[in-house]
């Protein structure tokens, strides 16, 4: 990673949001030289850790350049051999997926792949409220009794010790395809493919950032290769694995996996596949999201993903897989509409739970980890609320829905604080009934009378890590320019270094100095601005959910007559007669 300049950008050591401004890489102050865009993409790639000799591979990430040999992962070949045997002998196979987007896309990918191989597999998605996370022994045994001799769990199973033991005793083989953190001991399975196994090889472990759907795609590659070696395709066409990348892209982005390396190639190529609308259900989902253009990376996380998630959160858990595997346009349209309606219902439930959770924040100020709990909270929205609380407090946050003697919790973390590892350790310490996850997100089951003890334990374990993370909080800038330089051409150039996401952050620009021509509140606490500079350039900006923050208060009430620098993401505003550039504001600082 390129080193930061030692001095703050524009001398900003404490912005209106209380952050210092640093260059992410080198000094990219374009000033008035708005035409100097030729080398901008190179600088963006270098500042994200790309070696100069590796630039060409990262400018247009493809699977040819980034896809590893699936055999580097432990148990991958065993998993491919076992599924190939099922295909060749016509065994009954069930894909057992989690109820979120990663689980739905992983299950849909394997169902669609097996269908292309002439094998119609069943799928099973547990009910979030009635069955909870992960495979249950009861469900696995029932699937075995109904005839399935092979079950493949996706996005779950890495910690399902009891359930997999019951499945083995029932005589059914289970293959686990997962990405969540593992314990030192592994559950009994015919194969357990997970780059986050503690005994994973060095090369395989470098792909620990994959979502489960990415691991499932690598299994698909291994399976087709195995069947090719068995001469399965001598008299039939090989499946188009590239055509499954729309599912991989959706699951990867919606699960907030790091968009770097192989994941960046998955998303870049998956968006191209998505634009072709070959998947009937995906096309219906895009239409239900009211997108009038081909989906972009951000749409997967904010428009498509939440609709798939809504089925598992507040509706029927199988809706996502049904949508993404159907070939019937009418059925797809109906399911997509149902998911959109459930997403609206989810938003209302979420708002109610969030209001109640935020009412408890006053008692959490001295905690390193925010732990909130309430009776009657809907378990389907606590993960979203935890994310909102994390953004509001700047701390890892757990939200627990209490139901009698048991609470179901979901947590979200901040960069530099491994919440998943802490939850696994808390389970091993006897504080939890169950729990697991990865660095940025975790789930748990806790006895209601142990919630306070859990909060104390997390405070002690993670206090130093949270303090270090908060001390190092800065605003990383990629580009600075005068207002006239904020153009659609600049946005297009910045976007060409994408796709962006966690681990491959979108470029952040600083524009100024400017004076505010207008500042008001629109929608739900969004601050809308019109800013103008001395170069004659002007632009619109919006700070989402900022009206009641220190940043929003300063912009609305303290900025009249003063010059500022505005920092955020440059986006295209296509509401007018022709596209214009606008700024999605994240921070600001006084320029005088």
């Amino acid at each position: 990673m390129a080193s930061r300049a030692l001095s703050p950008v524009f001398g900003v050591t404490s912005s209106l949001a209380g952050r210092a401004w640093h260059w992410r890489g080198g000094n990219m102050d374009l000033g008035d030289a708005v035409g100097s865009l030729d080398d901008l993409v190179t600088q963006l790639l270098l500042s994200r850790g790309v070696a100069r000799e590796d630039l060409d591979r990262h400018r247009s990430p493809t699977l040819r350049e980034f896809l590893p040999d699936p055999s580097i992962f432990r148990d991958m070949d065993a998993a491919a051999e076992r599924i190939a045997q099922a295909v060749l002998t016509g065994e009954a196979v069930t894909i057992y997926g989690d109820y979120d987007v990663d689980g739905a896309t992983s299950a849909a990918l394997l169902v669609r792949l097996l269908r292309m191989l002439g094998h119609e597999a069943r799928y099973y998605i547990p009910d979030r409220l009635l069955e909870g996370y992960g495979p249950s022994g009861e469900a696995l045994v029932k699937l075995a009794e109904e005839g399935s001799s092979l079950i493949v769990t996706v996005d779950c199973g890495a910690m399902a010790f009891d359930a997999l033991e019951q499945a083995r005793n029932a005589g059914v083989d289970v293959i686990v395809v997962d990405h969540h953190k593992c314990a030192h001991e592994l559950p009994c399975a015919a194969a357990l493919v997970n780059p986050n196994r503690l005994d994973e090889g060095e090369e395989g472990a470098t792909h620990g950032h994959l979502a489960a759907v990415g691991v499932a795609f690598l299994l698909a590659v291994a399976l087709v290769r195995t069947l090719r070696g068995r001469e399965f395709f001598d008299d039939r066409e090989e499946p188009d694995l590239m055509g499954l990348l729309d599912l991989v892209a959706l699951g990867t982005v919606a699960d907030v996996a790091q968009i770097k390396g192989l994941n960046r190639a998955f998303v870049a190529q998956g968006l191209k596949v998505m634009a072709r609308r070959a998947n009937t259900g995906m096309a219906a989902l895009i239409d239900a999201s009211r997108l009038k253009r081909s989906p972009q990376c951000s749409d997967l996380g904010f428009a498509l993903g939440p609709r798939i998630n809504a089925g598992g959160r507040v509706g029927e858990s199988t809706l996502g897989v049904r949508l993404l595997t159907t070939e019937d346009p009418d059925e797809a349209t109906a399911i997509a509409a149902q998911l959109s309606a459930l997403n609206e219902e989810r938003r209302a439930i979420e708002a109610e739970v969030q209001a109640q959770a935020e009412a408890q924040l006053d008692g959490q100020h001295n905690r390193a980890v925010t732990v909130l709990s309430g009776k009657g909270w809907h378990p389907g929205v606590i993960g979203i609320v935890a994310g909102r609380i994390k953004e509001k407090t700047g701390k890892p946050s757990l939200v627990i829905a209490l139901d009698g003697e048991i609470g179901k919790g979901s947590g979200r973390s901040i960069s530099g604080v491994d919440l998943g590892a802490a939850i696994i350790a808390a389970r091993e310490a006897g504080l939890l009934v169950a729990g697991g996850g990865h660095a940025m997100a975790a789930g748990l089951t806790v006895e209601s009378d142990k919630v306070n003890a859990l909060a104390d334990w997390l405070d002690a374990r993670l206090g130093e890590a949270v303090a270090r993370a908060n001390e190092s909080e800065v605003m990383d800038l990629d580009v600075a320019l005068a207002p006239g330089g904020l153009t659609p051409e600049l946005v297009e150039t910045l976007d060409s270094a994408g796709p962006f996401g966690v681990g491959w952050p979108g470029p952040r620009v600083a524009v100024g100095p400017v004076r505010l021509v207008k500042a008001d509140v629109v929608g739900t606490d969004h601050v809308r601005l019109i800013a103008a500079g001395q170069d004659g350039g002007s632009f619109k900006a919006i700070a989402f959910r900022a009206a009641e923050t220190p940043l929003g208060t300063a912009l609305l009430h303290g900025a009249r007559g003063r010059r500022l620098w505005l920092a955020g993401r440059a986006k295209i505003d296509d509401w007018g007669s022709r596209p214009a550039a606008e700024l999605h504001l994240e921070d600001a600082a006084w320029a005088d």
Side-chain angles (χ1 to χ4, degrees):
M1 183 70 70
S3 61
R4 286 177 174 158
L6 294 177
S7 58
V9 179
F10 310 129
V12 178
T13 57
S14 183
S15 67
L16 297 184
R19 293 179 285 195
W21 287 8
H22 290 175
W23 291 116
R24 193 187 308 276
N27 184 330
M28 286 297 293
D29 189 349
L30 301 183
D32 294 319
V34 296
S36 303
L37 302 178
D38 292 346
D39 202 39
L40 182 53
V41 172
T42 294
Q43 293 302 318
L44 292 174
L45 296 177
L46 290 173
S47 67
R48 280 151 182 78
V50 178
R52 190 170 291 275
E53 63 271 17
D54 206 21
L55 285 170
D56 288 343
R57 189 168 71 117
H58 285 268
R59 289 184 191 279
S60 299
T62 63
L63 290 196
R64 180 183 296 275
E65 294 292 340
F66 284 92
L67 193 72
D69 182 344
S71 295
I72 67 172
F73 299 96
R74 291 193 182 277
D75 280 5
M76 180 67 82
D77 290 341
E81 289 285 352
R82 182 64 185 86
I83 300 175
Q85 176 187 338
V87 171
L88 292 168
T89 60
E91 287 182 65
V93 178
T94 296
I95 311 300
Y96 192 118
D98 188 24
Y99 39 64
D100 69 358
V101 185
D102 195 15
T105 52
S106 300
L109 186 150
L110 292 182
V111 168
R112 293 182 72 89
L113 170 66
L114 290 171
R115 186 182 295 163
M116 288 187 284
L117 295 172
H119 195 96
E120 199 66 35
R122 296 177 56 190
Y123 57 82
Y124 185 92
I125 311 294
D127 184 278
R128 179 190 292 264
L129 299 182
L130 299 179
E131 298 177 82
Y133 171 77
S136 69
E138 181 181 355
L140 294 178
V141 171
K142 182 178 180 181
L143 291 172
E145 292 172 348
E146 292 173 351
S148 291
S149 54
L150 175 62
I151 299 172
V152 183
T153 73
V154 288
D155 196 30
C156 58
M159 301 289 287
F161 295 94
D162 292 341
L164 267 62
E165 181 72 25
Q166 292 180 53
R168 184 176 67 174
N169 293 338
V172 63
D173 286 340
V174 178
I175 293 172
V176 175
V177 180
D178 204 351
H179 70 132
H180 293 100
K181 287 185 177 294
C182 296
H184 289 280
E185 180 185 358
L186 296 175
C188 59
L192 196 156
V193 185
N194 184 340
N196 288 305
R197 286 176 56 153
L198 296 181
D199 63 345
E200 183 57 82
E202 182 177 354
E203 190 175 0
T206 64
H207 293 86
H209 61 290
L210 294 178
V213 69
V215 183
F217 183 84
L218 290 169
L219 176 58
V221 174
L223 172 60
V224 169
R225 183 175 62 185
T226 300
L227 288 170
R228 188 186 302 127
R230 302 279 191 88
E231 301 179 344
F232 184 74
F233 300 112
D234 285 359
D235 58 355
R236 70 176 71 207
E237 187 176 353
E238 289 197 16
D240 175 22
L241 295 182
M242 295 292 287
L244 299 171
L245 287 177
D246 55 350
L247 296 169
V248 182
L250 176 56
T252 297
V253 174
D255 208 52
V256 202
Q258 293 189 42
I259 309 300
K260 65 178 185 179
L262 177 57
N263 275 350
R264 194 160 162 261
F266 277 151
V267 176
Q269 300 307 316
L271 287 170
K272 296 177 183 178
V273 174
M274 201 173 291
R276 298 202 294 264
R277 297 171 62 93
N279 184 316
T280 301
M282 190 75 76
L285 182 64
I286 294 168
D287 291 341
S289 301
R290 301 185 181 90
L291 293 177
K292 303 301 183 185
R293 48 165 171 72
S294 297
Q296 300 171 357
C297 188
S298 59
D299 297 322
L300 309 189
F302 293 104
L304 307 187
R307 284 171 165 79
I308 296 293
N309 260 336
R313 292 189 186 281
V314 298
E316 182 185 339
S317 61
T318 61
L319 288 175
V321 181
R322 284 175 54 198
L323 175 65
L324 296 174
T325 56
T326 186
E327 304 294 343
D328 183 337
D330 292 335
E331 181 184 25
T333 299
I335 295 174
Q338 185 178 358
L339 285 171
S340 289
L342 288 170
N343 194 44
E344 291 301 316
E345 180 182 342
R346 184 270 305 168
R347 286 178 176 174
I349 296 171
E350 173 197 330
E352 182 178 352
V353 173
Q354 184 169 341
Q356 294 178 29
E358 288 187 357
Q360 300 180 20
L361 285 178
D362 287 344
Q364 297 279 326
H365 289 321
N366 296 323
R367 291 282 193 190
V369 179
T370 304
V371 180
L372 309 171
S373 61
K375 296 179 180 179
W377 290 358
H378 197 298
V381 302
I382 54 176
I384 303 174
V385 174
R388 302 280 192 210
I389 298 296
K390 178 204 73 171
E391 294 297 329
K392 188 178 185 72
T393 63
K395 302 175 182 179
S397 298
L398 280 173
V399 177
I400 301 172
L402 301 177
D403 183 8
E405 298 179 354
I406 290 293
K408 297 283 188 178
S410 186
R412 298 293 183 268
S413 195
I414 59 177
S415 296
V417 181
D418 191 336
L419 184 61
I423 292 302
I424 290 175
R427 179 183 61 80
E428 293 173 344
L431 289 165
L432 300 175
V433 177
H438 47 79
M440 299 300 289
L444 59 89
T445 302
V446 60
E447 294 174 4
S448 299
D449 59 3
K450 290 185 177 180
V451 170
N452 290 335
L454 173 64
D456 291 340
W457 189 91
L458 289 172
D459 194 52
R461 180 182 176 92
L462 297 178
E464 291 185 6
V466 172
R468 287 194 301 269
N470 288 334
E471 287 173 2
S472 63
E473 183 180 9
V474 298
M475 170 68 80
D476 286 321
L477 295 172
D478 292 281
V479 182
L481 64 156
L486 187 63
T487 65
E489 292 75 21
L490 174 76
V491 178
E492 183 178 348
T493 300
L494 296 174
D495 286 347
S496 68
F500 302 107
V502 175
W504 193 267
R508 188 178 284 119
V509 304
V511 189
V514 300
R515 296 186 189 275
L516 299 186
V517 177
K518 181 179 181 180
D520 59 3
V521 178
V522 296
T524 307
D525 298 330
H526 308 318
V527 177
R528 178 178 59 183
L529 308 172
I530 297 178
Q534 291 180 332
D535 65 346
S538 64
F539 59 92
K540 292 190 292 186
I542 186 165
F544 295 104
R545 292 186 295 274
E548 297 182 3
T549 67
L551 171 64
T553 300
L555 294 172
L556 290 167
H557 306 295
R560 184 179 298 275
R562 300 191 64 177
R563 298 194 312 155
L564 304 99
W565 285 97
L566 302 181
R569 315 286 187 182
K571 301 292 184 179
I572 294 293
D573 174 17
D574 52 10
W575 282 98
S577 57
R578 62 178 183 175
E582 65 178 10
L583 192 66
H584 288 189
L585 192 69
E586 297 177 75
D587 204 354
W590 303 121
D592 52 18

